[in-house]
Amino acid sequence: MAQVAGNLQRIRNGQRRYAITPRIPGGFVQPAMLQKFIDVANTFKATLKITGGQRIMITNLKQEDVDKAWEMLGMAPAYTTSNRVRSVKICPGTTFCKRAKQDSVSLGMKLDKLYVSQEMPSKMKMGVSGCPNSCSESITKDIGVIGTVDGWQVYAGGSAGAHPRFADLIAEVATEKEVLELVDRMVTFYKENAHIERIGAFIDRIGLAAFKEAVLGDITPIDGANTSSASASISAAAANPNATEPLVNLPGMGANGTQGLNQGDPITENSIIREIIEVYPNTIPALQEIGMGCLGCPSATSEPLWQAASIHGFDVTELVSRLEKIRKGA
Ligand code: SF4
């Protein structure tokens, strides 16, 4: 049978149905391209499915329609091979997101251009997030990057699916250039030395220390101590998924997640949101009222009140006064 430029989805009553998943770098799609997806779906009675990899799958295509669908999209047919770099999941970053610490779109697009479709010993997914919220799930990607106040944390070895594994923190570096250099070294070392295995299995086989030694070379992490403590924290969480400690202690947060606001203390513009809602839970509705629907989010709750007020476009003095009235039961 001739090779089909689509994925066989299922055979029902002897009829084969295929899916194609065109490349959409970063998940950013212009209206004109979106219209082409709609036209293909209407023409071939196909179904559109948003995937977890920020792409749009066109499924339920008959075999004879697969090449025509690619033609309507204006794209060359893509033949699928499993052992390659699949996609780079990119969060909106500083381009669009109020919480971003780094430009994940710029870095993610560069990684996409450099690596997507490259053959590898096994499949490889990448994720780039602009802040520790990690909306691109960087910690479960083969190569994951997370923006911080100081630079970028670079991870390797994550995976979800049948064999989930948290990625190992390889280093925290200051610049995008250093991230690209480190990723290049990790990918090259993996390609040249791995069997048919995901990068996480490769790291487990040779040991994290050996992997880091091979790829770090003259790259100087921002803070070696930080790197190892974050690694240790992740390993501990991986070993005990029921542990209550955060995966990585967020900047400005103590070991027990508090900074010292105690019952009876006044709320100020520098009070940390997490502490306010822990010590004075009756303030929660007031915080939610001004648009802080993010009270369950570790990154958001590690912010001081002044920063949260600024993000949500609220005057901090007025907010402090409102919370203080609640605290005093006025
Ligand atoms: S990871 Fe951070 S910067 Fe990226 S979308 Fe999520 S909150 Fe925004």
Side-chain angles (χ1 to χ4, degrees):
M1 182 183 284
Q3 197 184 2
V4 182
N7 259 334
L8 177 62
Q9 294 295 285
R10 56 185 308 161
I11 305 173
R12 194 179 271 153
N13 301 328
Q15 298 287 314
R16 289 168 179 263
R17 288 290 183 271
Y18 290 83
I20 61 174
T21 315
R23 196 162 160 241
I24 303 178
F28 293 102
V29 56
Q30 295 298 323
M33 179 50 76
L34 201 51
Q35 187 60 53
K36 288 186 184 181
F37 278 80
I38 295 166
D39 293 344
V40 168
N42 285 333
T43 304
F44 302 114
K45 297 190 172 35
T47 299
L48 300 179
K49 166 84 176 76
I50 309 291
T51 74
Q54 299 182 329
R55 296 192 293 171
I56 301 171
M57 174 196 278
I58 306 173
T59 191
N60 205 34
L61 287 166
K62 292 179 188 161
Q63 181 176 336
E64 61 267 30
D65 293 334
V66 169
D67 284 349
K68 294 178 208 159
W70 283 113
E71 199 180 325
M72 275 185 79
L73 291 167
M75 296 180 183
Y79 295 92
T80 51
T81 51
S82 50
N83 292 346
R84 63 190 174 85
V85 179
R86 298 290 180 80
S87 62
V88 182
K89 192 166 184 178
I90 307 170
C91 87
T94 47
T95 317
F96 302 105
C97 179
K98 62 193 174 193
R99 298 203 185 285
K101 305 290 183 267
Q102 299 292 340
D103 189 350
S104 51
V105 173
S106 163
L107 175 60
M109 288 301 208
K110 284 179 185 136
L111 291 173
D112 184 287
K113 201 168 171 191
L114 284 167
Y115 297 107
V116 166
S117 296
Q118 259 200 39
E119 287 209 25
M120 291 288 151
S122 183
K123 74 174 171 187
M124 175 177 276
K125 295 181 178 179
M126 298 186 178
V128 184
S129 304
C131 85
N133 265 356
S134 195
C135 295
S136 296
E137 298 147 352
S138 304
I139 215 83
T140 57
K141 303 294 182 205
D142 296 273
I143 303 284
V145 188
I146 297 176
T148 67
V149 176
D150 300 319
W152 299 93
Q153 293 174 334
V154 182
Y155 294 83
S159 59
H163 304 287
R165 181 187 190 280
F166 284 126
D168 294 299
L169 179 62
I170 306 303
E172 182 168 4
V173 295
T175 65
E176 182 186 278
K177 189 163 172 268
E178 287 172 298
V179 175
L180 291 168
E181 174 66 34
L182 182 50
V183 171
D184 180 59
R185 290 183 192 186
M186 293 196 298
V187 169
T188 305
F189 182 64
Y190 168 63
K191 272 173 88 168
E192 289 175 353
N193 296 284
H195 304 153
I196 301 176
E197 58 195 345
R198 296 282 288 266
I199 194 166
F202 174 58
I203 291 171
D204 287 341
R205 185 164 60 76
I206 69 166
L208 178 59
F211 182 83
K212 283 168 89 166
E213 194 182 328
V215 300
L216 281 176
D218 55 355
I219 292 177
T220 314
I222 291 176
D223 179 345
N226 247 349
T227 301
S228 10
S229 76
S231 274
S233 172
I234 286 167
S235 305
N240 177 12
N242 298 320
T244 50
E245 300 93 48
L247 285 187
V248 177
N249 278 333
L250 295 164
M253 192 186 291
N256 62 358
T258 65
Q259 284 211 330
L261 189 74
N262 294 306
Q263 194 60 240
D265 287 349
I267 296 169
T268 72
E269 63 178 39
N270 292 318
S271 300
I272 304 295
I273 302 287
R274 174 187 289 270
E275 296 178 4
I276 297 173
I277 61 179
E278 275 177 6
V279 179
Y280 303 117
N282 55 343
T283 58
I284 290 175
L287 291 167
Q288 287 175 325
E289 222 169 78
I290 67 157
M292 290 187 196
C294 42
L295 293 179
C297 157
S299 180
T301 50
S302 68
E303 289 162 350
L305 194 60
W306 66 262
Q307 194 174 4
S310 146
I311 284 173
H312 292 277
F314 208 82
D315 180 74
V316 69
T317 311
E318 195 182 321
L319 182 56
V320 169
S321 148
R322 192 184 284 192
L323 296 179
E324 272 292 273
K325 273 189 195 153
I326 295 169
R327 180 182 74 82
K328 292 172 186 165

